[in-house]
Amino acid sequence: MFDTLSDRLSSVFTNLRGKGRLSDADIDATAREIRIALLEADVALPVVRQFTTAIKERARGEEVSKALNPAQQVIKIVNDELVEILGGQTRRLQFAKTPPTVIMLAGLQGAGKTTLAGKLARWLREQGHTPVLVACDLQRPNAVTQLQVVGERAGVAVYAPEPGNTDGGQTSSGPGGDPVKVARDSIEFARRAQHDMVIVDTAGRLGIDADMMQQAADIRDAVQPDEVLFVVDAMVGQDAVNTAEAFGDGVGFSGVVLTKLDGDARGGAALSVRYVTGQPIMFASNGEKLEDFDVFHPDRMASRILGMGDMLTLIEQAQQHFDEAEAEKMAAKLSGGMQNFTLEDFLDQLMAIRRMGPIGNLLGMLPGMGQMKDAISQVDDKDLDRTAAIIRSMTPAERENPKMINGSRRLRIANGSGVRVNDVNQLVDRFFEARKMMGQLGGMGLPGMRRASKKGKGKKGRKGKSGRGPTQPRMPAGFNPAAFNPAGLNPGGFGGTDQLPPGMQLPDLSKLNLPKK
């Protein structure tokens, strides 16, 4: 969604590099280009004015005049202002002192409230809560049925005493039922069934009207929610900001949830809604699957927009999908040498990466990958599925010792997996290349790999030169970097981190609670 904005900002910063000192003309030209980039991204005009004014004031300040690299300092200023516009700090849910905690969802029809209710419920269940979904959208045809299906997929209970509108007719509190009564009764149901979280899915409309506002206000008064989340379709554009203002005046809300962030719209609503409404963005949905949902981190989103990746989110996803016991087992195995790494291990690593989501999204979180967007767009997740099919068509002995796979075996494997013999040949060759690369990375100190370094004297008898490089970021034990090397991408092409300005370097990964070796 932010690709166009990222490209424009990157070109602006490229023009600044190489300048030893920034003149007023340079600052004005940079601010003008940033203003054009934001307006093209459909950002609200008041936000653009405040953003560019703050950048010009700080760029003319003492912090830039004394900086060793003014261009990098300007990038840091832009990042700081982006974080501020997006909310500053991450906002967490506020829980009730006495359960249940009630969360009410509001927004226009088509914004994705019902699907988001299931995503939020699934996320809360993974956090150790016992949520229940409440079907208060009794007007949209089959909305209750949709919520029940979403609840079943999310593995949570659904409170739906009324069938709602099943024939497409317009109902308010007649045949479809009374949504206010359903919402009120759901609180008592949650107490009896010991649900500590209640998520109320309300009805929406295709536009702002008095009936919708009144119904939402009545439900709010009936359940006294701890959080009222306004669901915004990030693809709508400036109209989303107008809708948010109308809901803020008519119903009021405590947080914003952005949906459809994986779309190809310009993304101005995401940058505007927090500044215009004054309420923080709390969650973001970036896909159709229930797992495509997470807490919104303003600093991480700003880092992505500026093309500097999102390593913290990548590592958090790795922690969720890599089994700690299996990771420890893999680390112990790799400590004996890379010759112990087999195709079976490669398949396990590949499937763990596959569970983390689309490979293109994961690669996009790496710093410097904004320069390789065309290559990333060519990555097809089906290639991983074909690779898994080829490996599963092998015998256990062949997976253990790929060198024994001769011509006849490769023909059998190709027929069993429905691919060509050439595909099998490429897989085996890529596996040996990956294993060789991992052996080389082992010399850089990756966890679970034997470090190849000599103690004592270095080259030409010089002491104290062991050749040790900088300390590498800690990753979960057994995490295989080679699995991130789809065909067509250069393992050495992840450059760009050396150009980060002061204060924008990679985060201190040692503070994360990673599995211990």
Side-chain angles (χ1 to χ4, degrees), residues 150-201:
V150 170
E152 182 179 357
R153 289 173 52 200
V156 299
V158 178
Y159 179 71
E162 300 287 351
N165 184 4
T166 58
D167 57 4
Q170 294 295 325
T171 62
S172 54
S173 59
D178 183 3
V180 179
K181 182 178 184 301
V182 172
R184 186 184 300 110
D185 295 343
S186 68
I187 307 301
E188 184 60 32
F189 169 81
R191 292 195 181 102
R192 292 197 311 267
Q194 296 184 344
H195 293 286
D196 65 340
M197 303 292 296
V198 177
I199 302 174
V200 181
D201 178 31

Side-chain angles (χ1 to χ4, degrees), residues 141-378:
N142 296 312
V144 175
T145 303
Q146 180 189 356
L147 187 66
Q148 290 172 333
V149 172
V150 170
E152 182 179 357
R153 289 173 52 200
V156 299
V158 178
Y159 179 71
E162 300 287 351
N165 184 4
T166 58
D167 57 4
Q170 294 295 325
T171 62
S172 54
S173 59
D178 183 3
V180 179
K181 182 178 184 301
V182 172
R184 186 184 300 110
D185 295 343
S186 68
I187 307 301
E188 184 60 32
F189 169 81
R191 292 195 181 102
R192 292 197 311 267
Q194 296 184 344
H195 293 286
D196 65 340
M197 303 292 296
V198 177
I199 302 174
V200 181
D201 178 31
T202 63
R205 299 290 190 283
L206 295 177
I208 301 295
D209 59 44
D211 291 340
M212 179 181 64
M213 289 296 184
Q214 187 59 48
Q215 185 185 101
D218 292 342
I219 294 176
R220 178 203 61 198
D221 296 338
V223 300
Q224 295 295 313
D226 300 280
E227 296 276 12
V228 179
L229 302 183
F230 177 63
V231 182
V232 178
D233 183 352
M235 298 179 65
V236 171
Q238 288 299 304
D239 191 55
V241 177
N242 301 330
T243 305
E245 289 180 315
F247 264 92
D249 297 337
V251 181
F253 53 88
S254 58
V256 177
V257 182
L258 294 175
T259 63
K260 307 178 186 178
L261 275 180
D262 57 326
D264 56 0
R266 290 176 289 181
L271 296 174
S272 306
V273 66
R274 186 265 169 190
Y275 178 86
V276 173
T277 64
Q279 299 300 335
I281 303 173
M282 297 179 59
F283 296 98
S285 172
N286 56 2
E288 296 180 358
K289 298 180 180 179
L290 293 181
E291 57 267 25
D292 297 333
F293 175 85
D294 204 353
V295 176
F296 184 84
H297 300 278
D299 53 342
R300 301 184 190 182
M301 179 59 70
S303 180
R304 290 193 199 185
I305 293 174
L306 295 179
M308 290 178 290
D310 187 358
M311 286 297 295
L312 286 178
T313 299
L314 179 61
I315 294 176
E316 287 176 359
Q317 291 188 14
Q319 285 182 290
Q320 294 173 5
H321 294 89
F322 276 77
D323 182 77
E324 184 174 352
E326 290 294 327
E328 293 289 347
K329 181 179 177 182
M330 176 64 66
K333 186 173 184 178
L334 294 181
S335 64
M338 289 311 304
Q339 65 274 10
N340 296 329
F341 186 70
T342 66
L343 277 170
E344 187 70 41
D345 302 326
F346 183 73
L347 177 63
D348 293 340
Q349 297 279 298
L350 204 63
M351 290 298 98
I353 295 293
R354 189 72 174 88
R355 290 192 296 269
M356 290 174 61
I359 301 300
N361 292 351
L362 300 180
L363 291 173
M365 296 181 189
L366 296 174
M369 292 302 289
Q371 304 169 7
M372 303 179 63
K373 291 178 181 178
D374 293 338
I376 293 176
S377 63
Q378 300 300 320

Side-chain angles (χ1 to χ4, degrees), residues 63-93:
E63 58 181 316
V64 173
S65 62
K66 293 185 177 181
L68 294 177
N69 192 327
Q72 292 182 349
Q73 196 68 22
V74 170
I75 297 176
K76 182 180 183 303
I77 292 174
V78 173
N79 178 81
D80 293 343
E81 293 302 322
L82 270 178
V83 172
E84 183 63 28
I85 282 182
L86 290 170
Q89 296 181 346
T90 303
R91 162 80 150 77
R92 304 288 181 175
L93 280 175

